[in-house]
């Protein structure tokens, strides 16, 4: 029987998450199911043989995912529009709750697992994802849990995440790690390539447009100075710098951050799940910082990382300070408050990069990994 110390707080968190969405706090009327409608339109265009990237929404947004993502969105067309958001949000709650139980169960036990899960479910990134009907939580937990598992099963999760949303493909940096190279990174590459080829085959013209130019065109998403942008480029734009300068500075600072990911991957002991988890969280947070535009729902790894860092017991006061901006609607409090998000991401990245190996070192990892040892 499941430990009620774990599931009871998580269940309360799920109820509170639904209550937050229903309350309308921190949301505008147009946001309800907005992104899910974009996914449905993408799937509809795919079936009709139309270009996936020519349909503009009434708010000036576009379908911005690779063609493979449109393939995965096809089942949405089988759902009545009146209930699709309800079903989608139920999936988000179930999958994210399961993923948090796996992640926090690897670093703690009992009440901490349930309370940590509840914190993530009521966080602002997850609330926003529920309101919009976003796919980001599935991408984030696929990457993080994939790294936690660390073997070829985990590689499927991480590879699909990278194929749905390009930035998680940074996880292939694990290839520099000798142990991760064949049991994880190479499988991630294979899965990602197969998924991408599927998208190319079903929508060749759209694939040419996407990989030829659109994937680099962040202007189709938003300007860096958008208040709700949590990236480094957004931080500079919020400080008053022109968009061109902000984007350039973001690119410059991306270099040391990407180098840090390489160093952490190289030094990680891939047989230790704490090292694999830290790497997965680090990859997710760094992609948020270096992307031109990062919305709140992209940064679900931030509250997950804060909870994990608390379990590891390092500089807890700083972890709490870094975690608070993800529990509050700070993006609605002006540009100065919005700056707390990218600062928090930098702090969490630094703590993940320096966190010593967990005291739980020595626990067996997944069979797919330990079978080689």
């Amino acid at each position: 029987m499941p430990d009620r110390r774990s599931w009871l707080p998580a269940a309360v968190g799920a109820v509170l998450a639904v209550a937050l969405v229903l309350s309308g706090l921190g949301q505008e009327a147009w946001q309800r199911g907005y992104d899910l409608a974009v996914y449905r339109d993408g799937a509809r265009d795919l079936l009709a043989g139309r270009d996936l990237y020519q349909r503009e929404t009434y708010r000036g947004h576009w379908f911005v995912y690779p063609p493979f993502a449109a393939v995965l969105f096809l089942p949405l067309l089988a759902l009545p529009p009146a209930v699709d958001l309800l079903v989608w949000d139920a999936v988000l709650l179930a999958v994210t709750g399961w993923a948090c139980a796996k992640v926090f169960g690897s670093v703690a036990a009992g009440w901490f697992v349930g309370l940590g899960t509840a914190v993530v479910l009521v966080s602002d990134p997850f609330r926003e994802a529920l309101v919009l009907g976003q796919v980001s939580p599935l991408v984030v937990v696929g990457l993080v849990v994939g790294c936690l598992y660390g073997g070829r099963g985990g590689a499927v999760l991480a590879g699909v995440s990278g194929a749905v949303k390009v930035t998680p493909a940074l996880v292939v940096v694990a290839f520099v790690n000798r142990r991760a190279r064949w049991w994880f990174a190479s499988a991630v590459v294979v899965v990602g390539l197969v998924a991408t080829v599927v998208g190319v085959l079903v929508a060749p013209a759209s694939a040419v447009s996407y990989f030829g130019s659109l994937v680099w065109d962040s202007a189709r998403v938003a300007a860096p100075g958008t208040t709700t942008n949590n990236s480094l480029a957004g931080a500079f734009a919020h400080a008053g710098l022109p968009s061109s300068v902000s984007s350039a500075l973001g690119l410059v600072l991306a270099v040391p951050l990407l180098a840090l990911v390489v160093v952490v991957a190289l030094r990680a002991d891939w047989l230790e799940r704490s090292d694999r988890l830290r790497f997965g969280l680090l990859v997710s947070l760094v992609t948020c910082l270096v992307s031109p535009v990062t919305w709140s729902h992209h940064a679900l790894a931030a509250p997950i990382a804060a909870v994990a860092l608390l379990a590891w017991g390092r500089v807890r006061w700083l972890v709490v300070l870094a975690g608070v901006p993800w529990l509050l609607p700070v993006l609605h409090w002006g540009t100065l408050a919005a700056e707390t998000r990218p600062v928090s991401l930098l702090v969490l990245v630094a703590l993940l990069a320096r966190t010593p190996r967990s005291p739980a070192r020595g626990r067996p990892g997944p069979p797919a990994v330990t079978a080689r040892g």
Side-chain angles (χ1 to χ4, degrees), residues 34-326:
Y34 180 80
D35 287 359
L36 192 63
V38 174
Y39 304 158
R40 286 179 65 98
D41 286 342
R44 190 175 291 112
D45 288 340
L46 180 68
L47 278 184
R50 293 189 290 263
D51 192 319
L52 296 173
Y53 307 106
Q54 293 300 312
R55 183 194 293 264
E56 185 177 7
T57 72
Y58 68 94
R59 293 188 61 85
H61 297 120
W62 313 80
F63 186 83
V64 294
Y65 298 90
F68 175 68
V71 176
L72 296 186
F73 294 142
L74 286 174
L76 289 173
L77 300 180
L79 296 174
V83 300
D84 60 353
L85 183 61
L86 179 65
V87 174
W88 185 266
D89 282 355
V91 171
L92 291 185
L93 282 165
V95 173
T96 305
W98 167 81
C100 287
K102 291 294 182 182
V103 170
F104 302 145
S106 73
V107 297
W111 288 108
F112 191 92
V113 176
L115 290 173
T117 301
V119 166
V120 173
L121 294 181
V122 300
S123 67
D124 197 54
F126 192 67
R127 178 203 61 80
E128 184 178 84
L130 290 176
V131 171
L132 293 169
Q134 252 289 330
V135 73
S136 290
L138 304 181
V139 173
V140 171
V141 301
L143 170 63
V144 174
V145 175
C147 289
L148 175 65
Y149 282 178
R152 289 177 178 169
V156 172
L157 293 175
V160 170
S161 295
V164 171
K165 193 176 189 302
V166 176
T167 50
L170 178 61
V171 74
V172 299
V173 167
F175 204 86
V176 302
N177 185 288
R178 181 179 59 83
R179 283 179 170 149
R181 188 172 301 153
W182 303 118
W183 275 102
F184 180 74
S186 59
V188 169
V189 172
V190 171
V191 171
L193 286 176
V194 169
T196 300
V197 168
V198 169
V200 171
L201 291 176
V202 298
S206 295
V208 170
S209 297
Y210 182 81
F211 293 108
S213 60
L214 298 181
V215 69
W216 312 108
D217 186 7
S218 62
R220 286 175 63 92
V221 181
T226 306
T227 306
T228 49
N229 184 10
N230 299 282
S231 70
L232 285 175
F236 290 121
H238 298 158
L241 296 178
S243 293
S244 58
V245 176
S246 300
S247 298
L249 288 173
L251 285 174
V252 170
L253 291 181
V255 175
L257 286 170
L258 295 174
L260 178 65
V261 176
V262 175
V263 171
V264 171
L266 189 61
R267 297 179 59 185
D269 182 350
W270 206 254
L271 295 182
E272 291 297 332
R273 59 185 176 184
S274 60
D275 280 17
R276 299 193 302 269
L277 175 59
R278 286 199 300 121
F279 173 72
L281 290 169
L282 184 69
V283 167
S284 190
L285 295 183
V286 167
T287 59
C288 289
L289 284 166
V290 304
S291 296
V293 178
T294 295
W295 306 131
S296 293
H297 53 76
H298 295 153
L300 185 64
I304 296 175
V307 173
L309 285 163
L310 283 175
W312 282 318
R314 298 296 299 179
V315 202
R316 282 177 170 162
W317 65 269
L318 186 56
V319 173
V320 170
L321 287 178
V324 166
W326 303 100

